Amino acid sequence: MAKIKKGDLVQVISGAKPERGGDRGKQGKVLEVLAEQNRVIVEGVNYVTKHNRVGQSQRGTKTGGIETMEAPIHISNVAVVDPSTKKPTKVGHRVQERVKDGVKRNVRVRYAKKSGKDL
């Protein structure tokens, strides 16, 4: 089961320091998880400039040029942020009994290991 999911708030825990132009310490929301490549795309982190070929759309407007976008970052370089302390933490799973429509079910729930709160 994946420890980081789309929509999680994560913090970059490795890389260059901000004073050297890096992203270490930045927090952002996970936009996409690329499970096959073990990478995630985080909002506001690892910006790259991409040059797109200039073309025309159906209406005649110009497309292309230089655009900045978020590039994937390795999943080991980010940590989930604890909702109560706003600091990076490890994630665990525990089995809880949930009742839905009168039926009891055992469900795996993610939680922040230091505080014990559900994510």
Side-chain angles (χ1 to χ4, degrees):
M1 183 172 254
K3 292 189 185 289
I4 297 176
K5 294 184 177 182
K6 181 179 175 181
D8 283 349
L9 184 66
V10 295
Q11 181 172 339
V12 179
I13 57 173
S14 67
K17 293 180 180 178
E19 53 266 15
R20 293 184 174 251
D23 291 327
R24 188 192 314 170
K26 286 188 182 178
Q27 291 186 358
K29 202 166 96 174
V30 175
L31 300 175
E32 189 177 351
V33 177
L34 307 170
E36 302 85 37
Q37 297 140 6
N38 288 330
R39 293 184 173 270
V40 291
I41 298 176
V42 182
E43 185 177 38
V45 174
N46 199 21
Y47 271 113
V48 295
T49 55
K50 191 170 183 181
H51 297 262
N52 291 329
R53 181 174 290 192
V54 176
Q56 277 189 332
S57 67
Q58 291 280 344
R59 296 182 180 168
T61 59
K62 296 233 178 208
T63 60
I66 301 172
E67 71 178 57
T68 57
M69 58 187 296
E70 292 99 352
I73 184 170
H74 199 271
I75 206 162
S76 66
N77 296 334
V78 295
V80 177
V81 173
D82 187 349
S84 59
T85 62
K86 301 293 185 204
K87 291 188 176 180
T89 184
K90 294 190 176 188
V91 176
H93 292 87
R94 64 174 160 233
V95 178
Q96 284 185 347
E97 195 173 85
R98 296 267 171 100
V99 178
K100 185 177 179 184
D101 298 330
V103 179
K104 289 183 181 178
R105 267 220 162 107
N106 288 332
V107 181
R108 283 175 54 128
V109 179
R110 292 188 322 151
Y111 70 97
K113 284 202 174 178
K114 289 180 185 170
S115 69
K117 288 196 174 187
D118 290 345
L119 296 176

